[in-house]
Amino acid sequence: MNPVLAVRGLEKRFGAVVAADALSIDIAAGQRVSLIGANGAGKTTFVNMVTGYLKPDRGSIALDGVHIGRRSPRSVARLGISRSFQVPQLFIELTAAENLAVAVSGMHATTLSLHSPAEAPGRRDKAIELLQRFGLANLADRPISELAGGVRKLIDIAMALVRRPKLLLLDEPTSGVSAEEKFATMDRVIHAVAPDAATIVFVEHDMEIVGRYADRVIAFYSGRILADGSPQDVLRDPEVRRYVTGGAR
Amino acid sequence: MVFPVIAVTLFGRVLPTWTLSLATIAASNGLVALGIVVLARTGNVSFGQGLFFAAGGYGVALIANNWGITDAAAQMLIGAACGGLLGLVIGPLIARYSGIFFGMLTLALSMVFYGALVKTTVLGGSDGFNVVRPSLFAISFVDPREADFMLYAVSVVTTGLAGIAATILFRSEFGLASLAVRENNLRVEYLGISANRIITINFVIAAVFAGASGAFALMAQRHIDPQFAYWTTSGEFVFIAVLAGYQSVSAVFVASLALELVRSFSNLYLPNTWQLVLGVFLLAVILFLPRGIGSLWIRQRRKSAGVSAETSAVEEGAPS
Amino acid sequence: MYLFLTIVLDGLIEASWLFVVALGLTLVFGVLKILNIAHGSFYALGAYIAATAVTIAAAHSLPPALGFVAMLISVALIASIVGLLLERGLLKLFYGRDEVVLLLVTYAVFLILEDTTKLIWGVNPIYASQPYELFGNVEFAGLYYVGYDLLLIPAAAAIGLAVWFGLNRTVMGKIVLAVIHNEEMSVSMGVRVNRVYAGAFAFGVLLAALAGALTAPKISMQPGLSSDVIILSFAIVVIGGLGSVEGAAIGAVLVGLARATSVHLMPQAELFMIYLIMAAVLMFRPEGLFKRETARRI
């Protein structure tokens, strides 16, 4: 079966820093992949390149056989890759429902209507339904500026779901969530995401989360892939323990 | 929404002459400022609307003098078309800039136009030239009072319709996406929406409004000169927009009218101080009403919805 | 050949006072991140004060040279005080707001100063031409120049070098540079940003006023002076890159030469030329000729 995402020989340098060094990765439909690695190992750079925010110096990226390495974030999003962000990227003066309404109107058409109301019943229903899935429907009419960080994180993910992406990239979905709540939050995310996105890549620092939710783990170290395989194998790998997880486990 | 426009138009019949021309100018300036507000909802402030204002004015004046089109309604449409066409050329080039660079670039372009107009002797150079009194639907107005009322009616109706259109626009899908561009244009792109395109369309709308307004200013003065494009003219339009805030369409016209009243009263009683009064006024508004005078009635609505400023301050302080 | 030399010399004379104005504007932007529309008003203020000082000196029949010195001192003193008062009393209230809002605040200051100068000095042109004859006429490669004009070039160069030296070779200057490059970091290193702000703004006002004083003998002071000057100095700092001292110098020379060229070859095209350059620079290098763009982190 053809992979959803096929990355070949991807390279990116920032001056002397190598952020991606001949990366080749295939991600198959239905996989739930976790990217791990220390800060600066190149995880977010990888996500930024796949979504078109950064242009690779060399190498190719293909989504379902379509080359996307030179495309803009907008074009990549239209082709079927969505992402959430480490720091939620929301419209903070708008309400939660309005945030999702923008996403919904972006899905419907390339030309936005100049006259039909943004919160027409059909569109608002879709927005509320998404919020409901994350258990946030009661906050629909609150501006983002009044919502706590954890809630913003979930809304950020909900917005990424609107297009029903072929590939969903989540950048540290549980960062900033307390240790007691992290499993509950991740359960909620996995559950809410399931109807719209089957193939998920998530960047994660917490090895308990990785072990519990990923069915494949890719460990990064200074722009290279250190290990790639099942969570059991990768997390037990001596090099990974030395350079990534710090030998704690 | 149409009734207030009709009411204000008919009200002109009982207004004294001096208020008629004052209200005409206020409506016409309000139209440019409304365009700035439309554009400001994407987070970009244009300091060069004088460019489109002048383009509209000169376009109408040239067509009137060369081809004899003096109909007020036609002139308004010609002005709007001139402004809009120029906006279509410049909009796509300028949409990728933001913040202070957007402002500077619009300013620079308007000053290029100003410089070109001053130099063009065919158009009268810095003195400009005159045009004939406008007519309406083949009726020419000999009585100056009737002529003033005709102009008042055309400008109030046009501006009123523009206001209604803007209100619909603000509530639309596109209007919401425009606000989203202001808040976070990167996320807008990541949602598959073109932020540049949204800015361009808003830019063209603002240019159309400014062009139509240039036609009214021309009809009111029956004279045009490069001052239409000078940066202080643009500055005044921005002033009205800031005074109004970007939340309410009606606030734009209130602000414009307030400005004209202040101008004529200080001209009457305190010569050479109206800019001073204006400056103090502007500082006070920025300091005490950062969202413009429109927030006086918009804020009321929010409060009644049970949302207070205190809760937001507390929650924003929470760790995220 | 004569024409070429004339254009170059005229351009440099023009560039010298424009540079002093633009230097103040670019420093204020670098430190406070404010694009100061009122900057031209400080230039006009300097010119008007200079006119008054020269007139008073002449009335007390002081020798012109002494009057000239008295003029420079009084302008420098008043400008510094006005700058400090404005920054501490007004601008401070708006820090942390959007840069466009700050722009509008300075626009309000521009409007206020515009009428204040009218109220004090009236609307009729006034002159301060006595010092203009101070240095006689000079023959330079077959061309006759007013000595005062030619001396503006080394004067501006000296001011520019002094500022460059002050910024790069003194402790105070390094603190200012630190604030320009990374304000957050300098706060955490213990820099008292408030003082840097006040000092930088007052210094910017001082430079504008000084340029006004230096040009006052050459021109007639009347309403509209400030709006013409601000529009030129905007072009200069945008061409050179906002916040860059070297950029201000290059921008001033470019604008000065463009003005001189059009005055001699295509009269009245000057504003058009200058703004065409500015628009072109903005289109192709929006951060100015001297700066590199930085990507946003996500």
Side-chain angles (χ1 to χ4, degrees):
Chain A
M1 199 176 118
N2 285 331
V4 173
L5 186 76
V7 174
R8 292 286 172 278
L10 207 59
E11 281 181 31
K12 182 77 190 175
R13 275 161 213 276
F14 299 106
V17 181
V18 183
D21 188 1
L23 291 177
S24 291
I25 297 172
D26 276 348
I27 289 169
Q31 274 186 333
R32 201 188 287 156
V33 184
S34 178
L35 308 183
I36 62 171
N39 284 328
K43 307 176 303 283
T44 296
T45 301
F46 177 75
V47 171
N48 282 344
M49 283 194 285
V50 168
T51 55
Y53 185 66
L54 291 175
K55 301 277 167 275
D57 297 336
R58 203 165 290 132
S60 71
I61 306 169
L63 175 74
D64 269 349
V66 180
H67 285 277
I68 58 169
R70 301 271 137 208
R71 287 173 186 263
S72 65
R74 177 176 11 122
S75 156
V76 171
R78 286 180 182 170
L79 284 171
I81 298 182
S82 291
R83 73 172 288 187
S84 74
F85 298 80
Q86 222 169 52
V87 178
Q89 299 287 320
L90 300 172
F91 315 121
I92 60 167
E93 298 264 307
L94 307 184
T95 66
E98 283 170 336
N99 269 265
L100 282 156
V102 174
V104 171
S105 58
M107 175 190 68
H108 277 314
T110 47
T111 327
L112 299 169
S113 165
L114 295 174
H115 54 83
S116 74
E119 295 211 71
R123 255 159 244 155
R124 183 164 166 95
D125 293 348
K126 175 73 186 159
I128 300 290
E129 187 265 318
L130 273 161
L131 285 171
Q132 227 152 23
R133 257 197 249 165
F134 286 86
L136 303 172
N138 57 327
L139 301 175
D141 294 318
R142 299 275 293 270
I144 302 295
S145 57
E146 295 175 5
L147 301 177
V151 175
R152 295 187 191 189
K153 204 103 204 184
L154 294 177
I155 295 173
D156 191 56
I157 296 172
M159 284 175 74
L161 279 181
V162 169
R163 279 186 172 267
R164 314 198 64 179
K166 293 173 184 164
L167 175 65
L168 177 66
L169 299 155
L170 304 176
D171 199 349
E172 302 196 18
T174 64
S175 72
V177 176
S178 70
E180 303 88 68
E181 287 173 17
K182 66 183 185 190
F183 291 130
T185 305
M186 198 63 188
D187 278 342
R188 214 199 249 189
V189 169
I190 296 293
H191 182 250
V193 159
D196 286 322
T199 314
I200 303 166
V201 172
F202 62 102
V203 176
E204 189 54 68
H205 279 295
D206 188 315
M207 293 310 141
E208 286 181 359
I209 299 268
V210 172
R212 192 153 158 176
Y213 294 96
D215 47 41
R216 177 181 165 195
V217 177
I218 302 174
F220 280 70
Y221 180 73
S222 70
R224 285 181 302 112
I225 295 173
L226 207 56
D228 181 351
S230 71
Q232 293 81 357
D233 294 345
V234 173
L235 294 181
R236 238 179 267 127
D237 185 293
E239 280 208 300
V240 172
R241 296 184 60 151
R242 186 160 157 216
Y243 292 115
V244 181
T245 57
R249 281 165 54 94
Chain B
M1 279 190 286
V2 181
F3 289 110
V5 178
I6 297 172
V8 172
T9 312
L10 293 180
F11 187 57
R13 293 257 52 140
V14 297
L15 282 174
T17 314
W18 68 274
T19 42
L20 263 190
S21 50
L22 188 143
T24 306
I25 296 169
S28 149
N29 287 348
L31 189 55
V32 190
L34 182 63
I36 293 176
V37 170
V38 167
L39 185 57
R41 287 168 63 93
T42 65
N44 294 299
V45 179
S46 165
F47 282 89
Q49 286 311 94
L51 172 61
F52 306 105
F53 184 68
Y58 271 94
V60 169
L62 285 175
I63 290 175
N65 282 2
N66 291 325
W67 297 333
I69 297 180
T70 57
D71 186 87
Q75 290 198 330
M76 182 272 289
L77 290 174
I78 292 167
C82 292
L85 283 176
L86 194 57
L88 264 180
V89 175
I90 292 173
L93 293 175
I94 214 173
R96 61 200 167 98
Y97 300 93
S98 61
I100 221 147
F101 292 103
F102 189 93
M104 295 304 289
L105 196 51
T106 48
L107 176 81
L109 291 171
S110 72
M111 290 303 291
V112 169
F113 195 52
Y114 172 82
L117 288 174
V118 168
K119 188 193 144 210
T120 314
T121 40
V122 204
L123 298 177
S126 51
D127 295 332
F129 58 92
N130 293 331
V131 288
V132 296
R133 200 183 274 282
S135 58
L136 185 67
F137 307 139
I139 307 164
S140 50
F141 296 85
V142 194
D143 177 9
R145 199 191 133 71
E146 287 302 307
D148 280 352
F149 177 71
M150 182 276 284
L151 199 54
Y152 167 85
V154 177
S155 65
V156 167
V157 168
T158 305
T159 308
L161 291 179
I164 293 170
T167 309
I168 295 170
L169 184 78
F170 290 173
R171 289 181 193 151
S172 74
E173 213 170 65
F174 180 83
L176 187 62
S178 303
L179 287 181
V181 169
R182 183 194 65 202
E183 300 281 318
N184 192 336
N185 61 349
L186 183 67
R187 185 59 189 248
V188 168
E189 291 280 324
Y190 263 113
L191 292 173
I193 304 170
S194 168
N196 281 3
R197 188 176 174 142
I198 289 177
I199 294 170
T200 305
I201 294 173
N202 280 305
F203 192 83
V204 173
I205 294 171
V208 167
F209 286 0
S213 172
F216 289 129
L218 175 81
M219 289 183 244
Q221 300 174 9
R222 295 194 296 284
H223 175 83
I224 192 160
D225 60 53
Q227 198 65 30
F228 271 56
Y230 198 60
W231 74 269
T232 48
T233 308
S234 305
E236 226 169 83
F237 298 140
V238 175
F239 183 101
I240 299 171
V242 171
L243 206 60
Y246 61 77
Q247 290 164 306
S248 157
V249 169
S250 50
V252 176
F253 304 118
V254 174
S256 182
L257 196 60
L259 181 75
E260 280 314 307
L261 285 173
V262 170
R263 193 208 307 264
S264 46
F265 278 108
S266 43
N267 266 347
L268 213 56
Y269 300 111
L270 305 156
N272 287 333
T273 55
W274 88 271
Q275 294 193 91
L276 193 137
V277 175
L278 231 55
V280 174
F281 199 23
L282 181 60
L283 285 178
V285 168
I286 296 176
L287 197 57
F288 300 114
L289 287 174
R291 283 157 178 262
I293 54 173
S295 65
L296 285 177
W297 54 90
I298 296 282
R299 192 190 285 165
Q300 228 58 41
R301 218 181 288 164
R302 272 241 159 139
K303 266 199 184 138
S304 61
V307 178
S308 72
E310 281 78 8
T311 54
S312 79
V314 171
E315 293 208 17
E316 250 173 357
S320 55
Chain C
M1 191 58 214
Y2 275 142
L3 182 65
F4 177 73
L5 195 65
T6 317
I7 287 175
V8 169
L9 272 180
D10 281 0
L12 286 178
I13 291 166
E14 199 69 15
S16 55
W17 69 267
L18 281 171
F19 166 67
V20 179
V21 184
L23 185 59
L25 188 63
T26 210
L27 280 178
V28 168
F29 182 84
V31 176
L32 291 88
K33 304 290 176 286
I34 296 177
L35 196 55
N36 183 10
I37 294 186
H39 199 69
S41 312
F42 301 131
Y43 167 89
L45 196 67
Y48 273 111
I49 295 171
T52 304
V54 165
T55 315
I56 292 174
H60 291 75
S61 51
L62 285 179
L66 210 59
F68 183 62
V69 173
M71 162 189 114
L72 288 181
I73 292 174
S74 50
V75 167
L77 267 178
I78 297 175
S80 311
I81 293 169
V82 167
L84 278 177
L85 285 179
L86 264 178
E87 198 277 338
R88 288 289 88 183
L90 184 74
L91 291 182
K92 201 178 67 174
L93 303 175
F94 301 94
Y95 290 156
R97 303 275 285 271
D98 197 67
E99 56 185 5
V100 174
V101 171
L102 283 163
L103 194 80
L104 286 164
V105 170
T106 63
Y107 176 60
V109 174
F110 160 80
L111 289 175
I112 293 169
L113 287 178
E114 197 71 356
D115 275 357
T116 310
T117 39
K118 272 186 216 158
L119 287 176
I120 299 177
W121 285 283
V123 291
N124 296 321
I126 60 172
Y127 301 91
S129 51
Q130 287 91 331
Y132 200 45
E133 285 110 46
L134 216 51
F135 305 103
N137 290 334
V138 180
E139 195 199 328
F140 187 87
L143 298 164
Y144 286 91
Y145 269 90
V146 179
Y148 188 93
D149 282 344
L150 281 184
L151 277 175
L152 282 179
I153 300 174
I159 291 173
L161 280 177
V163 169
W164 186 88
F165 187 84
L167 277 178
N168 290 288
R169 294 283 183 276
T170 66
V171 176
M172 208 166 69
K174 295 221 159 136
I175 291 175
V176 173
L177 283 182
V179 174
I180 292 180
H181 291 308
N182 193 337
E183 182 174 326
E184 243 171 273
M185 191 66 90
S186 32
V187 173
S188 65
M189 306 276 281
V191 172
R192 274 173 290 193
V193 178
N194 277 344
R195 293 189 179 190
V196 178
Y197 274 16
F201 190 79
F203 190 63
V205 173
L206 171 72
L207 284 174
L210 208 57
L214 286 174
T215 35
K218 290 156 55 73
I219 57 172
S220 67
M221 272 67 79
Q222 52 190 321
L225 187 60
S226 48
S227 53
D228 289 344
V229 168
I230 188 59
I231 215 71
L232 283 174
S233 39
F234 264 3
I236 291 169
V237 296
V238 167
I239 289 169
L242 286 162
S244 155
V245 172
E246 298 89 339
I250 299 289
V253 171
L254 269 177
V255 167
L257 288 176
R259 279 193 99 181
T261 310
S262 46
V263 164
H264 285 284
L265 303 177
M266 276 188 294
Q268 282 195 314
E270 48 165 292
L271 257 183
F272 179 72
M273 289 268 291
I274 289 159
Y275 271 86
L276 214 54
I277 298 176
M278 172 173 164
V281 168
L282 274 171
M283 288 278 183
F284 298 109
R285 284 195 70 105
E287 302 274 330
L289 297 174
F290 273 85
K291 270 193 169 176
R292 298 193 61 182
E293 247 175 301
T294 43
R296 168 168 153 199
R297 271 189 68 90
I298 53 169

